[in-house]
Amino acid sequence: MTIAINSPITPSPSSANRWRTLMRHVVVVITAAALVYAFSLVHGQWSPMHRWNRAFGDAAVLLLALTMTLGAAPRIFRVCARWLPWRRELGIYSVALAMVHTVIILDGWVEWNLIRLFGFEYHPFDLRYVMLQHGFGLANAIGILALGIGFILLITSNDRAVRTLGAASWKTVQMTALVFWALVVAHTAYFLYAHFLSFHRATPDPNPLRLPFAILVLGVVALRVSAFASTTRHRLRREPN
């Protein structure tokens, strides 16, 4: 088969979609790497383990916040609808960054001693593990639950999962993103505002991201509440009296 030299070659819709998807992955990966580096500079005064643990965690939270924002913004600002396809890649790499964050903690903080992850430490006099950090254990349990939900969202964030589960079931699974977001906020808030307030050890300087995190969370919540109200208002207007 031959193709005339002057005939235009138009890529098939599937090829164009694959190319756009690849470009979104590339852009989000570069953005994620830049965010991790930027947050590592913010936490430069910490030891390498805490510096990178925080950097990956902060970048994951920010990508997740963008995902939650894009899910609601088009219901208020129609121009934002063009950005909806980016939710998938943002969500995927948010979970990927959270996984790296978790591995750094397991390796560098609790040294793969999983009981320490839940606030227990070995007592040399009692010769057994005792609970020393109640909040630490609870916050990490919340984080593990969030990561489990995030992993489910990650492995279903593809077209094959949509075809396998069916649109209705797939959408139900993806709705757990709201639970994922709430758990991530709770986990992050503990380490930003509470973990380093213990009276029996030195308290480090306040995390400079405490105020930006609060503004970010309140902004996402306000946007999603506004989107819900807008959707409800439009639906009521369409319904006959």
Side-chain angles (χ1 to χ4, degrees):
M1 184 178 68
T2 60
I3 300 175
I5 295 177
N6 294 326
S7 63
I9 303 175
T10 304
S12 66
S14 59
S15 298
N17 287 337
R18 284 196 295 269
W19 174 252
R20 286 193 291 267
T21 299
L22 176 61
M23 290 306 299
R24 288 197 297 270
H25 277 282
V26 170
V27 170
V28 175
V29 166
I30 293 173
T31 302
L35 287 174
V36 170
Y37 177 72
F39 283 124
S40 75
L41 298 180
V42 173
H43 303 302
Q45 76 277 18
W46 287 82
S47 66
M49 186 278 293
H50 282 296
R51 178 186 183 185
W52 293 108
N53 144 37
R54 288 174 171 227
F56 277 94
D58 293 341
V61 171
L62 187 53
L63 290 188
L64 180 58
L66 289 174
T67 305
M68 302 304 293
T69 298
L70 287 180
R75 284 181 277 172
I76 303 174
F77 311 106
R78 291 188 177 182
V79 68
C80 294
R82 71 182 67 179
W83 298 102
L84 273 175
W86 290 81
R87 286 186 303 172
R88 177 175 290 184
E89 286 73 25
L90 288 169
I92 287 172
Y93 291 104
S94 171
V95 177
L97 291 174
M99 289 179 173
V100 177
H101 162 79
T102 303
V103 170
I104 293 173
I105 290 175
L106 289 174
D107 187 65
W109 198 339
V110 302
E111 299 174 332
W112 298 99
N113 187 346
L114 297 184
I115 194 171
R116 294 184 62 203
L117 192 63
F118 297 97
F120 289 88
E121 294 289 348
Y122 188 76
H123 198 288
F125 297 107
D126 293 340
L127 302 179
R128 63 188 179 90
Y129 282 93
V130 296
M131 172 68 79
L132 290 183
Q133 303 181 72
H134 297 77
F136 181 76
L138 178 59
N140 283 333
I142 291 172
I144 291 171
L145 178 58
L147 192 63
I149 295 174
F151 181 74
I152 293 173
L153 292 169
L154 174 64
I155 62 176
T156 57
S157 293
N158 55 77
D159 294 336
R160 179 176 296 180
V162 178
R163 293 191 297 268
T164 302
L165 296 175
S169 297
W170 180 83
K171 184 174 290 187
T172 299
V173 172
Q174 292 295 308
M175 284 298 292
T176 58
L178 293 172
V179 180
F180 179 47
W181 165 249
L183 292 174
V184 167
V185 168
H187 172 79
T188 306
Y190 168 78
F191 286 99
L192 275 178
Y193 304 110
H195 180 68
F196 296 102
L197 296 181
S198 177
F199 67 91
H200 63 273
R201 60 187 172 193
T203 301
D205 294 335
N207 191 313
L209 298 179
R210 291 194 301 177
L211 180 58
F213 174 76
I215 294 173
L216 178 69
V217 172
L218 291 175
V220 172
V221 171
L223 180 65
R224 295 194 67 88
V225 170
S226 299
F228 174 78
S230 177
T231 301
T232 303
R233 184 169 59 253
H234 291 158
R235 183 175 300 169
L236 290 175
R237 286 177 180 174
R238 290 195 301 266
E239 292 180 354
N241 295 327

